[in-house]
Amino acid sequence: MEISQELVDAINDQINFELYSAFIYLSMGTWFEEHNLIGMAHWMEVQYQEEFAHAMRFYRHLTERGARVLMKQIEAPKTEWKSAHEIFADAYHHETLVTERIYKIGDIADKLGDRSTQSMLSWFYNEQTEEEANTMGIRDKLKLIGDSIPALLQLDSELSARPPAGPIPADSTAP
Ligand code: FEO
């Protein structure tokens, strides 16, 4: 089944948004570097890698379906925040936007009966549940921590243990 131009356009936009997401997390990472929260900087660097892998998963889907990927200008991310809590609140909010966008692509795939795209998207539905839970959980811990420096450093140490992102998927349906 030939992929429709409506889906190609929506997925192209999502490739751009995933790369924008990668830039956002790298920007957050450099803020943490500057503020000597190295564990959180590491967490953001891994997240940056994950976002790049998400973009590539959509990229592979378009190329597997014989469609052309169009690289577009990536918006500059925010660079200044007041606190670690504000950063993770932004991260959680950003993930809810990503989820909404992916659900909209799912709505188009459902309307067109494009089962191949539906199958590819099912991985993202689970991933977004995890991404929202992770960022919400850290945001909520930071709210509890408040102004406690020892507790902040303890959380920073915990986040330094985040394992590196897996390899870029070879195809769009890789587990
Ligand atoms: Fe690619 Fe964090 O969603």
Side-chain angles (χ1 to χ4, degrees):
M1 177 184 179
E2 191 172 352
I3 189 166
S4 82
Q5 193 58 44
E6 186 180 5
L7 262 181
V8 171
D9 291 345
I11 294 172
N12 254 316
D13 282 350
Q14 191 58 28
I15 290 171
N16 184 272
F17 203 75
E18 297 289 347
L19 293 173
Y20 172 53
S21 305
F23 267 31
I24 288 174
Y25 289 119
L26 203 54
S27 185
M28 291 172 170
T30 194
W31 187 96
F32 284 123
E33 292 275 359
E34 190 185 8
H35 290 78
N36 294 314
L37 291 164
I38 302 308
M40 293 185 192
H42 164 78
W43 194 97
M44 287 296 173
E45 195 172 319
V46 174
Q47 191 62 31
Y48 152 78
Q49 292 164 353
E50 288 216 348
E51 297 304 342
F52 187 71
H54 295 169
M56 289 309 295
R57 201 174 273 270
F58 283 116
Y59 178 101
R60 301 266 189 253
H61 185 67
L62 286 189
T63 55
E64 284 162 1
R65 302 290 299 278
R68 178 81 196 280
V69 179
L70 295 178
M71 311 314 295
K72 299 179 186 171
Q73 184 168 354
I74 300 166
E75 195 180 326
K78 183 173 168 180
T79 55
E80 293 301 333
W81 293 267
K82 290 192 192 78
S83 65
H85 176 263
E86 186 180 293
I87 289 188
F88 274 95
D90 273 10
Y92 170 68
H93 176 67
H94 183 75
E95 288 305 328
T96 64
L97 297 181
V98 176
T99 303
E100 279 172 27
R101 294 176 63 100
I102 289 174
Y103 284 4
K104 281 187 185 150
I105 299 172
D107 289 343
I108 300 170
D110 289 349
K111 180 184 76 180
L112 298 170
D114 189 322
R115 299 203 200 297
S116 171
T117 299
Q118 288 166 331
S119 171
M120 180 272 295
L121 288 174
S122 62
W123 183 90
F124 278 99
Y125 297 145
N126 294 331
E127 178 72 359
Q128 281 312 118
T129 303
E130 193 181 309
E131 300 258 284
E132 287 190 19
N134 288 342
T135 48
M136 179 170 54
I138 298 168
R139 177 202 65 181
D140 291 350
K141 277 185 189 166
L142 285 164
K143 187 163 186 224
L144 284 173
I145 285 170
D147 293 333
S148 167
I149 301 293
L152 180 65
L153 294 178
Q154 172 64 33
L155 179 61
D156 187 59
S157 171
E158 283 171 26
L159 295 184
S160 71
R162 184 177 186 182
I168 301 293
D171 60 68
S172 64
T173 55

